PDB file of all heavy atoms in Angstrom:
ATOM      1  N   LYS H 472     151.280  86.482   4.072  1.00  0.00           N
ATOM      2  CA  LYS H 472     151.801  86.985   5.352  1.00  0.00           C
ATOM      3  C   LYS H 472     151.983  88.491   5.360  1.00  0.00           C
ATOM      4  O   LYS H 472     151.791  89.143   6.375  1.00  0.00           O
ATOM      5  CB  LYS H 472     153.161  86.309   5.654  1.00  0.00           C
ATOM      6  CG  LYS H 472     153.059  84.795   5.865  1.00  0.00           C
ATOM      7  CD  LYS H 472     152.178  84.455   7.049  1.00  0.00           C
ATOM      8  CE  LYS H 472     152.111  82.960   7.292  1.00  0.00           C
ATOM      9  NZ  LYS H 472     151.185  82.642   8.418  1.00  0.00           N
ATOM     10  N   SER H 473     152.274  89.043   4.176  1.00  0.00           N
ATOM     11  CA  SER H 473     152.443  90.486   4.116  1.00  0.00           C
ATOM     12  C   SER H 473     151.146  91.209   4.419  1.00  0.00           C
ATOM     13  O   SER H 473     151.127  92.299   4.977  1.00  0.00           O
ATOM     14  CB  SER H 473     152.959  90.912   2.748  1.00  0.00           C
ATOM     15  OG  SER H 473     152.088  90.473   1.730  1.00  0.00           O
ATOM     16  N   VAL H 474     150.027  90.603   3.985  1.00  0.00           N
ATOM     17  CA  VAL H 474     148.730  91.204   4.266  1.00  0.00           C
ATOM     18  C   VAL H 474     148.369  91.037   5.728  1.00  0.00           C
ATOM     19  O   VAL H 474     147.808  91.912   6.368  1.00  0.00           O
ATOM     20  CB  VAL H 474     147.655  90.613   3.336  1.00  0.00           C
ATOM     21  CG1 VAL H 474     146.306  91.134   3.697  1.00  0.00           C
ATOM     22  CG2 VAL H 474     147.968  90.915   1.890  1.00  0.00           C
ATOM     23  N   GLU H 475     148.679  89.829   6.263  1.00  0.00           N
ATOM     24  CA  GLU H 475     148.383  89.557   7.665  1.00  0.00           C
ATOM     25  C   GLU H 475     149.080  90.574   8.573  1.00  0.00           C
ATOM     26  O   GLU H 475     148.574  90.997   9.603  1.00  0.00           O
ATOM     27  CB  GLU H 475     148.801  88.140   8.042  1.00  0.00           C
ATOM     28  CG  GLU H 475     147.864  87.059   7.507  1.00  0.00           C
ATOM     29  CD  GLU H 475     148.248  85.693   8.042  1.00  0.00           C
ATOM     30  OE1 GLU H 475     149.299  85.563   8.664  1.00  0.00           O
ATOM     31  OE2 GLU H 475     147.466  84.754   7.830  1.00  0.00           O
ATOM     32  N   SER H 476     150.276  90.948   8.183  1.00  0.00           N
ATOM     33  CA  SER H 476     151.039  91.886   8.992  1.00  0.00           C
ATOM     34  C   SER H 476     150.654  93.334   8.730  1.00  0.00           C
ATOM     35  O   SER H 476     151.143  94.249   9.389  1.00  0.00           O
ATOM     36  CB  SER H 476     152.542  91.694   8.768  1.00  0.00           C
ATOM     37  OG  SER H 476     152.848  91.988   7.400  1.00  0.00           O
ATOM     38  N   GLY H 477     149.810  93.508   7.744  1.00  0.00           N
ATOM     39  CA  GLY H 477     149.315  94.857   7.436  1.00  0.00           C
ATOM     40  C   GLY H 477     150.231  95.618   6.468  1.00  0.00           C
ATOM     41  O   GLY H 477     150.045  96.830   6.277  1.00  0.00           O
ATOM     42  N   ASP H 478     151.164  94.946   5.808  1.00  0.00           N
ATOM     43  CA  ASP H 478     152.091  95.614   4.931  1.00  0.00           C
ATOM     44  C   ASP H 478     151.501  95.890   3.548  1.00  0.00           C
ATOM     45  O   ASP H 478     151.937  96.762   2.825  1.00  0.00           O
ATOM     46  CB  ASP H 478     153.361  94.802   4.760  1.00  0.00           C
ATOM     47  CG  ASP H 478     154.138  94.680   6.060  1.00  0.00           C
ATOM     48  OD1 ASP H 478     153.969  95.579   6.913  1.00  0.00           O
ATOM     49  OD2 ASP H 478     154.894  93.724   6.216  1.00  0.00           O
ATOM     50  N   VAL H 479     150.460  95.078   3.173  1.00  0.00           N
ATOM     51  CA  VAL H 479     149.852  95.216   1.861  1.00  0.00           C
ATOM     52  C   VAL H 479     148.380  95.479   2.044  1.00  0.00           C
ATOM     53  O   VAL H 479     147.733  94.801   2.864  1.00  0.00           O
ATOM     54  CB  VAL H 479     150.068  93.947   1.011  1.00  0.00           C
ATOM     55  CG1 VAL H 479     149.396  94.093  -0.338  1.00  0.00           C
ATOM     56  CG2 VAL H 479     151.567  93.690   0.806  1.00  0.00           C
ATOM     57  N   ASN H 480     147.837  96.373   1.265  1.00  0.00           N
ATOM     58  CA  ASN H 480     146.415  96.637   1.374  1.00  0.00           C
ATOM     59  C   ASN H 480     145.617  95.388   1.008  1.00  0.00           C
ATOM     60  O   ASN H 480     145.892  94.755   0.003  1.00  0.00           O
ATOM     61  CB  ASN H 480     146.051  97.783   0.412  1.00  0.00           C
ATOM     62  CG  ASN H 480     144.610  98.246   0.585  1.00  0.00           C
ATOM     63  OD1 ASN H 480     143.708  97.497   0.236  1.00  0.00           O
ATOM     64  ND2 ASN H 480     144.433  99.441   1.091  1.00  0.00           N
ATOM     65  N   GLN H 481     144.594  95.082   1.797  1.00  0.00           N
ATOM     66  CA  GLN H 481     143.850  93.855   1.633  1.00  0.00           C
ATOM     67  C   GLN H 481     143.058  93.802   0.348  1.00  0.00           C
ATOM     68  O   GLN H 481     142.676  92.718  -0.109  1.00  0.00           O
ATOM     69  CB  GLN H 481     142.883  93.679   2.802  1.00  0.00           C
ATOM     70  CG  GLN H 481     141.932  94.846   2.909  1.00  0.00           C
ATOM     71  CD  GLN H 481     140.984  94.722   4.098  1.00  0.00           C
ATOM     72  OE1 GLN H 481     140.422  93.687   4.325  1.00  0.00           O
ATOM     73  NE2 GLN H 481     140.818  95.767   4.840  1.00  0.00           N
TER      74      GLN H 481
END
Side-chain angles (χ1 to χ4, degrees):
K472 294 299 181 183
S473 58
V474 175
E475 286 186 352
S476 62
D478 295 334
V479 178
N480 187 291
Q481 59 182 313

